[in-house]
Amino acid sequence: MCGILVSIHANESETTVAPELHHALNLLKHRGQDACGITTCTSQGRMYHCKGNGQAPKVFHNGSRLAELRGSMGIAHLRYATSGTNSESEAQPMHVNSPCGLSFAHNGNLINGAELKHFLNIQASQHANQENDSELMLSIFAKELGEAAIVCMNAGFGIIGFRDPYGIRPLVLGSRPCANGQDVDYMMASESVALTHSGYKPSDIADILPGQAAILQHGSPPVFVQVQKPKTYAPDIFEYVYLARLESVIDGISVEQSRKNMGNKLGATLAKVLTSQELEEIDVVIPIPETSNTSAPFVAAYLKKPYSRGIVKVDSLRTFIIPGQKAREKAVRRKLRINEEHFAGKNVLLIDDSIVRGTTSREVIKMSREAGARKVYFASCAPPIMHPHIYGIDIPSKSELVAHDRNIAQHIGADKVIFQTLDDLESACAEAASPGTEVRGIPKFEVGVFSGAYVTPIPAGYFDHLQTARGGTEMKAVIGTENFSTEDGDYTPRSCALLPFCNSTCYYPIFSRICELLPVLALIALSRTCKALSGIYRELKCTSWNIDVSLSKYFAHPRGLRSALGRCGGLVTGLFVLKFFNRSLPLSLPPGVGTLTICATGGENAIALLAYLETTESYHINTRYTTPDLKREMITMQNSRSQLNVLLTTGPPILEILTQGSGSTVTRNFMSWNKAYSIFPVPTFHHYKGYLVDPCETPIGNTIYQLGWRLQDIQWPEEMKQDRSLGPLRRIGDKYTWCIAFDTDGVDRSPTPDYILESSTFGIENYCQPGTLQGCYRFSAELVRSCILKYEHVVGGDYPHHFRSTWPRFLHDRLNRLTRVELLRLEHSHRPAAYHDLMRGAARHDEIDGDILEKPLAWSYYDGDILKWFRFWDSTRVY
C-alpha cells in the first residue's frame, strides 16, 4: 500500500506543480510513512528531484525545499515498504535518464519479481535498441509489473498512468480548468481525496479501468489505451475496510458509506452471536480511532446502546504500517489516550476495523482494564485475517497473524471477540456503490487475506519468499509472554537440522518425540533459533504443558477451579507446580508430602473458594490449624482422588509465597488462574540445583533431595557469572522469570489485572543463621497500600548498601507526591487530618485512610503506572 500521484498543468511557463503535489502527499500520508519524494520536469525536459526517508514535513523541510522543484508536471510517491530495505535509495519516484528521461512510481507488489529480474538481466540486454514507442513500453510494463497501479513521467512528453488488469490497486484521473480558464490541468492519484482537496470536482474524476492506460501530453486531452485485456474486476476490499480515507470514492464506491454499512451489518451479527445476557450487560460502544469511528455509531444504534468516543487519537501515526513489532507496540500508547470516565466500572464493546497482528487490540484492551473496565468485548468490522496480503500491504506471514492458529480472545485479552462475516463485508461495500457503477460491474472483490483465494495466479514458492522477505530474520521468544533468558549457552543449538521434521503432516510425530526427550532449557533455547521453530511451545502446550490435564488429577473441573482461583486472587504452589514445569518428575511422590497448596487471602472470596471445593469438587476438610499470631490458617482437604492444602493469609498470596516459610529456590514456583511462574528457572531446570532460603529442615526440603536436586547454601562467585537471578532485587515476570500462559477459553477472567502480580518485587540477601556458620538466602518484601492505589502491592528491595536510591523509597516518594496532588482536589472540609503533615513531609501517603475519603469522580489511581515506574528506576539505578 503506497500513495502515488502525477500531475500536469496546462500552463508550462507560469506554474509550478510541486506545491500541489506536496499538499496531496499530506492528504495521502495514511498510505505510507517510510519515505516520500517528488520529481518535477520543466518544458525543456530538465528534471528536479527531492526524496528521502520519513514523512513529507521532514523530507521537504516543511515546504522550504519546494522552491527547488521547478516545472509544470511532476510525479510523487509515498512509500510503505513491504520488501527491500529502508535505504533512502529505495525511496520513489525512481528515475532513469536512458533511453528517454523517465520517472516512475508504483503502488503494489511484484509477485512475479523473479521472472522480471530474468527479463531485465537476460532479454532486455539483447533488445536495448528496440523502437521506443510509448504504447509498446506500457504493454511491457503492464505485462511484467504484476498487480500494481503505476504512474510515470516522460521528460518532454507528458505523464502516463495505468492499472493492473484486475483493478486491485486504485487509480483515479481528474481534470479542472487551469488559471487562464481555457486549458485543462490533470492529476492522477491513488485516491480521489487528493484531487477533491486540490480543486478537482467529483464530477470530473473517473477511475482508470483494469488494464487501461491514460496518456496525457501538454495541451492535449487524455488518450485511453487498453494495454492489457481486463481480467476479473476485483478491487481490494481492504481499501474500504482500513486503507482509504473516509472522503474517498474508489471504483464508484463511497468509503464512508461502505463503513456505515459495515457498522449496520456488524450490529446485526452481534445481535445474533451474543447471548441475551451479554447484550444486556454492554454499557457502552466505543470505537478504536480512527477508521472505526464511522462504523461504531451504527453498531451502537442497531444494538440501542450508548455510543462514546472514549478513546482519543492524539498522533496521526498508523501503527499498522510502522515496521517492527516493538515499535508498533510503543506507538499504540503514544497515539491513543483513554478517557477513564467512559470505562470505569463498565462493560464496554470496542469496535475496530480489523485485527491483524493484534498489537493495537491487545494494548487498547490493557488500557481499558487499567481504566477500570469490568468486561471488554471486541468486535471487528472485518472477518478474521487468516492469510498474507500479497498485493502491496504488509499483512504478514501466517505465523504473525493473530487469527492463525491462536485463541484470539486470549491473545488480545478480551472477554469475547466477534467478527463480521465475509458475505456481510462484501455486501456492505457493494451496497455503497453510486448509481452507474453497476454498468461497469464489480462482480467480486479481492478478499484473499480472509479466504486464501487470491484473484491472481501465484507463482510457485512465492509464499516462502514472502515469509523470508517480511520477517524471516526476526528471532522471537515464544514462551507465552515471558522474557526467560539464560546467560550461558550450553543448550543453544548451532544449526536448525530439525527443521525438516516440523512438517505436521509427515514428520511431526518424530519431531514431537524428539522434543519430549529434550531437557526443558534445551527446548526453550531451540524455540528461539528461528521462526520455523518458534511454534514448538505452542504445539507442545496441548500435551506437555497442558495445565487442565495436570489439574485433572486433583479436580474434576479444572477450568472451574481456575475460575474460582481468579475470583479470589489465589495462587497454587507446591511440588505440583514444580512438576508442571519440569515434566520429568516421577508420577508418584514420597508419601506424606502435600504436593498442591492453594494460597489465598482470607475473607469472603476465600469462603467462596472453600465452598466451591466442597460442593463442586467433593473435598471435605480433614484438619484446620491457625497460627498463634492469627495471620495464617492451614486447611487440609481430601476427596476420593487426592489431597490438597489451602493456606489462608491476611495479605496477598504472593507475599506469603515469597517471604514466609523455609525451603529452597527450587520451590519458588506458582501459578495463577491464567499463568505459571518459575522465579529461578536457570538453577532449577538447567543445573538441577537449589539454594537454601532460611533453614531447610522441613519435609519438602528432604523431598527435593529425593527428587534429584542438589542443595547449596549460597551462590558462589563463579556461578554468579552464569546466573544473576539471585539478587539483590527481583520482580515477578522479569527477564529471569519463566512464565507460561494458559489457554483461558471457558475460564472466568480474574477481576485483578495481571500487572498487579507482575509488578511485585522482592529483595534477596544472604546471611548467616544466628549462632551458626550456615549461610542461606532471605527474601523480603512489604505491603504497600495507598488512597491512590486500588490494590495492595508487594514491594521489596530496601537495602541501602546495594543502591544509592532504593526502589521502595523511589515508589513511596512518587506516591507521596501524587497523593498531595489528589488531595488538593478535595474541598478543605473533606481533607483528612493528616493532610497538613503530608504536605510538610511529616507523614506518608499510606497514613491517609482512603476508605474514609469522599473521593470525586475524577480521582486518579496509579496501579497501572507502578510497573512503568519500576522499569524507569531499574534503568537508572546505580549499584
Side-chain angles (χ1 to χ4, degrees):
M1 177 193 74
C2 296
I4 56 176
L5 297 150
V6 64
S7 181
I8 184 168
H9 287 183
N11 191 334
E12 298 184 45
S13 59
E14 297 180 3
T15 63
T16 175
V17 77
E20 183 176 79
L21 290 173
H22 179 257
H23 176 61
L25 285 177
N26 284 300
L27 291 169
L28 296 183
K29 63 183 178 181
H30 57 283
R31 300 189 70 89
Q33 298 170 172
D34 295 336
C36 64
I38 295 176
T39 297
T40 60
C41 182
T42 65
S43 57
Q44 292 78 31
R46 181 170 181 180
M47 288 191 173
Y48 298 87
H49 316 276
C50 180
K51 63 180 182 177
N53 285 348
Q55 299 185 57
K58 173 188 173 184
V59 174
F60 300 103
H61 297 182
N62 293 316
S64 64
R65 295 196 63 185
L66 297 179
E68 306 169 13
L69 302 172
R70 291 182 285 172
S72 58
M73 64 177 179
I75 184 172
H77 185 267
L78 288 153
R79 185 178 188 227
Y80 164 54
T82 57
S83 62
T85 70
N86 290 326
S87 169
E88 290 200 356
S89 64
E90 297 201 14
Q92 296 184 40
M94 299 292 186
H95 175 73
V96 291
N97 287 316
S98 175
C100 59
L102 185 73
S103 285
F104 171 93
H106 85 285
N107 172 25
N109 251 24
L110 306 181
I111 65 170
N112 57 343
E115 295 109 306
L116 181 59
K117 286 182 179 179
H118 183 270
F119 174 83
L120 293 174
N121 292 335
I122 306 299
Q123 292 176 286
S125 62
Q126 299 174 4
H127 303 282
N129 296 318
Q130 64 177 278
E131 183 180 354
N132 183 29
D133 181 82
S134 60
E135 192 168 324
L136 174 62
M137 176 184 66
L138 292 176
S139 298
I140 295 173
F141 280 168
K143 179 180 179 182
E144 298 296 341
L145 286 177
E147 287 54 57
I150 301 166
V151 290
C152 58
M153 180 173 64
N154 189 195
F157 172 79
I159 61 173
I160 306 162
F162 51 93
R163 196 174 177 190
D164 68 271
Y166 297 90
I168 296 173
R169 298 262 66 85
L171 187 63
V172 295
L173 168 67
S175 62
R176 71 176 181 198
C178 73
N180 62 21
Q182 298 177 355
D183 299 315
V184 181
D185 298 335
Y186 294 95
M187 177 186 279
M188 283 183 276
S190 298
E191 293 183 35
S192 60
V193 65
L195 279 64
T196 55
H197 282 249
S198 300
Y200 292 81
K201 295 180 180 179
S203 58
D204 295 328
I205 299 174
D207 295 287
I208 305 296
L209 299 179
Q212 187 181 71
I215 307 171
L216 296 98
Q217 287 182 275
H218 272 298
S220 301
V223 176
F224 295 97
V225 180
Q226 197 69 41
V227 295
Q228 279 281 291
K229 182 179 179 181
K231 306 290 178 65
T232 302
Y233 198 167
D236 187 352
I237 205 166
F238 215 66
E239 290 280 355
Y240 306 98
V241 171
Y242 174 79
L243 301 181
R245 266 183 64 146
L246 190 65
E247 310 97 305
S248 291
V249 176
I250 299 175
D251 290 305
I253 298 174
S254 164
V255 174
E256 180 179 14
Q257 187 57 50
S258 67
R259 290 176 185 169
K260 291 178 179 178
N261 294 348
M262 291 176 205
N264 277 323
K265 293 182 183 295
L266 180 59
T269 298
L270 287 162
K272 294 176 185 176
V273 172
L274 295 178
T275 66
S276 57
Q277 180 183 346
E278 290 170 333
L279 286 169
E280 179 67 26
E281 66 184 11
I282 292 174
D283 296 313
V284 64
V285 177
I286 298 176
I288 298 176
E290 286 181 350
T291 315
S292 59
N293 287 352
T294 310
S295 305
F298 289 84
V299 175
Y302 193 98
L303 298 179
K304 298 179 180 179
K305 295 291 182 181
Y307 167 76
S308 169
R309 295 281 289 273
I311 305 175
V312 179
K313 189 173 183 179
V314 296
D315 195 314
S316 61
L317 285 174
R318 299 190 96 175
T319 51
F320 169 77
I321 64 175
I322 293 176
Q325 180 65 13
K326 292 291 186 183
R328 286 190 289 267
E329 290 173 357
K330 291 180 180 178
V332 172
R333 287 186 179 257
R334 188 170 75 244
K335 76 169 184 174
L336 298 177
R337 292 291 182 269
I338 294 282
N339 190 336
E340 292 192 4
E341 66 179 87
H342 297 280
F343 290 83
K346 295 181 180 180
N347 300 318
V348 299
L349 171 61
L350 297 179
I351 308 295
D352 204 356
D353 51 79
S354 58
I355 309 176
V356 183
R357 304 173 184 88
T359 305
T360 298
S361 311
R362 187 166 53 248
E363 288 300 317
V364 170
I365 290 172
K366 283 182 184 177
M367 293 163 69
S368 301
R369 297 195 186 281
E370 291 167 8
R374 290 201 305 265
K375 286 189 176 181
V376 181
Y377 297 102
F378 198 99
S380 167
C381 291
I385 296 175
M386 305 286 290
H387 305 275
H389 197 290
I390 62 174
Y391 304 120
I393 303 173
D394 191 19
I395 292 180
S397 56
K398 286 186 178 182
S399 62
E400 295 177 59
L401 294 172
V402 70
H404 178 72
D405 198 25
R406 286 184 179 92
N407 181 304
I408 302 174
Q410 176 186 341
H411 185 81
I412 67 175
D415 291 279
K416 195 166 190 176
V417 178
I418 304 92
F419 288 95
Q420 184 94 266
T421 66
L422 183 54
D423 289 342
D424 281 349
L425 177 60
E426 292 184 288
S427 297
C429 296
E431 292 168 9
S434 59
T437 304
E438 63 274 5
V439 175
R440 283 181 279 163
I442 299 179
K444 64 183 293 185
F445 294 93
E446 160 46 39
V447 293
V449 288
F450 306 116
S451 66
Y454 301 97
V455 297
T456 64
I458 309 300
Y462 179 71
F463 287 107
D464 293 335
H465 159 75
L466 200 65
Q467 173 83 13
T468 303
R470 289 188 178 176
T473 60
E474 294 184 20
M475 305 301 178
K476 297 186 178 180
V478 296
I479 309 300
T481 57
E482 77 289 5
N483 299 304
F484 172 75
S485 64
T486 178
E487 297 295 328
D488 48 353
D490 294 357
Y491 284 116
T492 303
R494 294 294 183 266
S495 66
C496 292
L498 291 176
L499 282 175
F501 295 98
C502 293
N503 188 313
S504 60
T505 59
C506 250
Y507 301 115
Y508 185 73
I510 302 172
F511 181 73
S512 180
R513 180 58 180 156
I514 291 171
C515 291
E516 289 289 337
L517 297 174
L518 287 174
V520 172
L521 200 70
L523 191 58
I524 296 167
L526 186 62
S527 73
R528 297 179 170 199
T529 56
C530 63
K531 292 190 71 169
L533 292 176
S534 66
I536 293 175
Y537 170 69
R538 288 191 297 273
E539 296 291 340
L540 297 179
K541 189 173 183 178
C542 296
T543 54
S544 303
W545 279 307
N546 189 316
I547 187 59
D548 295 324
V549 171
S550 299
L551 286 173
S552 65
K553 298 178 177 64
Y554 293 85
F555 306 102
H557 308 284
R559 300 202 173 201
L561 180 277
R562 288 165 56 198
S563 296
L565 203 65
R567 285 190 292 270
C568 73
L571 300 174
V572 173
T573 185
L575 292 181
F576 165 81
V577 187
L578 179 66
K579 183 177 179 181
F580 172 76
F581 273 104
N582 191 67
R583 298 189 303 157
S584 60
L585 288 184
L587 294 177
S588 58
L589 295 169
V593 175
T595 60
L596 186 148
T597 298
I598 299 176
C599 188
T601 305
E604 293 182 1
N605 290 332
I607 294 173
L609 173 65
L610 292 174
Y612 171 83
L613 293 173
E614 290 179 316
T615 58
T616 305
E617 299 292 346
S618 302
Y619 276 92
H620 62 270
I621 295 177
N622 280 347
T623 62
R624 300 184 78 138
Y625 169 73
T626 303
T627 59
D629 59 7
L630 304 180
K631 290 184 177 180
R632 299 171 192 81
E633 182 180 13
M634 177 63 78
I635 303 170
T636 61
M637 305 184 74
Q638 188 169 359
N639 66 7
S640 58
R641 65 171 71 196
S642 59
Q643 175 181 315
L644 58 82
N645 300 321
V646 178
L647 176 61
L648 304 182
T649 70
T650 56
I654 185 62
L655 185 63
E656 178 73 23
I657 292 171
L658 291 175
T659 63
Q660 299 299 320
S662 58
S664 73
T665 55
V666 176
T667 60
R668 260 46 181 192
N669 314 288
F670 59 91
M671 56 163 275
S672 65
W673 69 280
N674 65 336
K675 293 179 182 179
Y677 301 83
S678 176
I679 301 177
F680 301 101
V682 172
T684 303
F685 303 113
H686 185 184
H687 303 297
Y688 270 76
K689 181 183 293 185
Y691 300 96
L692 299 184
V693 180
D694 289 332
C696 187
E697 300 173 354
T698 61
I700 198 169
N702 296 329
T703 303
I704 293 301
Y705 276 114
Q706 296 176 45
L707 293 175
W709 271 273
R710 294 178 293 112
L711 292 182
Q712 190 171 305
D713 54 354
I714 61 173
Q715 204 175 44
W716 296 334
E718 62 270 24
E719 295 172 327
M720 295 179 185
K721 296 179 180 179
Q722 296 182 343
D723 173 29
R724 298 173 183 172
S725 62
L726 278 155
L729 178 67
R730 287 288 309 279
R731 178 181 64 81
I732 304 300
D734 62 11
K735 67 179 181 179
Y736 301 109
T737 306
W738 181 10
C739 174
I740 297 177
F742 303 149
D743 181 2
T744 56
D745 272 357
V747 181
D748 294 342
R749 181 173 296 277
S750 171
T752 305
D754 288 347
Y755 63 76
I756 301 299
L757 177 62
E758 294 181 357
S759 62
S760 300
T761 59
F762 62 99
I764 305 176
E765 64 173 345
N766 56 68
Y767 80 113
C768 285
Q769 300 175 36
T772 72
L773 295 178
Q774 177 65 60
C776 63
Y777 286 99
R778 182 170 59 186
F779 301 161
S780 64
E782 63 179 15
L783 205 55
V784 172
R785 300 181 178 92
S786 179
C787 59
I788 58 172
L789 298 175
K790 286 184 179 180
Y791 304 93
E792 297 176 328
H793 291 259
V794 174
V795 178
D798 197 2
Y799 301 128
H801 56 279
H802 288 302
F803 311 123
R804 292 181 187 173
S805 174
T806 68
W807 163 237
R809 293 178 185 176
F810 180 92
L811 176 62
H812 284 298
D813 179 64
R814 289 229 165 165
L815 293 175
N816 284 334
R817 293 171 180 270
L818 291 169
T819 301
R820 294 184 192 117
V821 173
E822 294 301 315
L823 290 178
L824 287 173
R825 298 185 181 188
L826 302 180
E827 296 292 337
H828 287 280
S829 59
H830 294 165
R831 291 174 182 171
Y835 166 75
H836 295 290
D837 290 337
L838 181 66
M839 298 303 285
R840 295 196 314 269
R844 290 201 325 182
H845 64 93
D846 48 6
E847 297 177 40
I848 305 294
D849 188 351
D851 294 333
I852 64 173
L853 290 179
E854 295 184 22
K855 300 176 184 176
L857 291 177
W859 189 269
S860 298
Y861 293 96
Y862 295 90
D863 302 82
D865 294 308
I866 290 181
L867 188 53
K868 177 179 66 177
W869 295 342
F870 176 80
R871 286 172 174 155
F872 168 75
W873 172 85
D874 191 42
S875 67
T876 59
R877 64 178 174 173
V878 179
Y879 287 86

